[in-house]
Amino acid sequence: DVKVTQSSRYLVKRTGEKVFLECVQDMDHENMFWYRQDPGLGLRLIYFSYDVKMKEKGDIPEGYSVSREKKERFSLILESASTNQTSMYLCASSPLLGTSSGANVLTFGAGSRLTVL
Amino acid sequence: AQSVAQPEDQVNVAEGNPLTVKCTYSVSGNPYLFWYVQYPNRGLQFLLKYITGDNLVKGSYGFEAEFNKSQTSFHLKKPSALVSDSALYFCAVRERGSGNTGKLIFGQGTTLQVKP
């Protein structure tokens, strides 16, 4: 069964702390995404990556950075956490378009709920 | 600008009745449209997609969606709702010009409440 695993389901951090959210997929997907989910706002794209060491900003990249050193792992980094970054963070992956019939479909992890105090 | 709108924050329906969750989109050209479902404390799960072909698309758990180009809509439907269908539903459209990444733009979500 295909799988996207987010290492932390719940985190509580303090303002100013550096926070790492880890995501691992076992499907050999090229694309990986980090979304932020807030009530009434749906999912907003923070960053995505289409290959190792490649990354592109999404719609709300401010205050975040990412790292993709290996194909299966995509990390989201909050350099200095702030209270307005309290949210649910969702990682997703997908194959390159055109490589398979499922190429348009994102597979999501269970989410990481971050609270910044 | 490309966008997706889900005009209802919540839909309430009685078990056994038909349900509809509405979605409209704004994107140039032919859209790629998706529905995802999120159960409590879980990630999103893919339900169905429209790429091309028949306007009525069938998906998981008995759900279907109807693509209407003239109304720029992609409403999710089910003939007979179950209490277990209660969840948060997201409509999404593939961002035009997203190259090989297939980035999706999501609506704000609609909570479906099915009562016994």
Side-chain angles (χ1 to χ4, degrees), chain B residues 33-53:
Chain B
L33 296 158
F34 303 80
W35 276 101
Y36 285 81
V37 60
Q38 185 180 35
Y39 297 102
N41 300 314
R42 303 283 294 277
L44 275 68
Q45 296 177 33
F46 169 73
L47 272 180
L48 51 80
K49 64 179 179 180
Y50 172 82
I51 304 298
T52 187

Side-chain angles (χ1 to χ4, degrees), chain B residues 91-108:
Chain B
C91 181
V93 64
R94 180 183 148 198
E95 184 177 295
R96 190 165 180 82
S98 58
N100 287 329
T101 63
K103 284 192 298 175
L104 297 184
I105 301 169
F106 285 86
Q108 65 268 43

Side-chain angles (χ1 to χ4, degrees), chain A residues 66-98:
Chain A
V66 291
S67 172
R68 192 161 181 206
E69 296 297 319
K70 294 184 178 181
K71 188 176 185 179
E72 67 270 19
R73 187 179 297 270
F74 192 38
S75 303
L76 180 68
I77 303 157
L78 288 67
E79 294 289 343
S80 178
S82 64
T83 55
N84 62 14
Q85 292 178 310
T86 292
S87 187
M88 170 71 91
Y89 292 89
L90 293 170
C91 176
S93 72
S94 72
L96 275 178
L97 293 181

Side-chain angles (χ1 to χ4, degrees), chain B residues 72-111:
Chain B
T72 63
S73 67
F74 189 56
H75 300 332
L76 182 70
K77 300 182 179 184
K78 188 173 183 181
S80 179
L82 300 172
V83 172
S84 57
D85 292 329
S86 298
L88 182 58
Y89 291 80
F90 289 98
C91 181
V93 64
R94 180 183 148 198
E95 184 177 295
R96 190 165 180 82
S98 58
N100 287 329
T101 63
K103 284 192 298 175
L104 297 184
I105 301 169
F106 285 86
Q108 65 268 43
T110 298
T111 298

Side-chain angles (χ1 to χ4, degrees), chain B residues 10-72:
Chain B
Q10 181 157 331
V11 170
N12 298 309
V13 64
E15 187 174 33
N17 283 0
L19 69 88
T20 299
V21 182
K22 295 180 180 177
C23 172
T24 59
Y25 65 90
S26 174
V27 63
S28 57
N30 294 320
Y32 289 11
L33 296 158
F34 303 80
W35 276 101
Y36 285 81
V37 60
Q38 185 180 35
Y39 297 102
N41 300 314
R42 303 283 294 277
L44 275 68
Q45 296 177 33
F46 169 73
L47 272 180
L48 51 80
K49 64 179 179 180
Y50 172 82
I51 304 298
T52 187
D54 288 341
N55 290 341
L56 187 63
V57 179
K58 294 189 183 297
S60 305
Y61 312 122
F63 283 93
E64 56 191 27
E66 186 170 12
F67 171 64
N68 188 317
K69 188 170 184 177
S70 63
Q71 297 185 3
T72 63

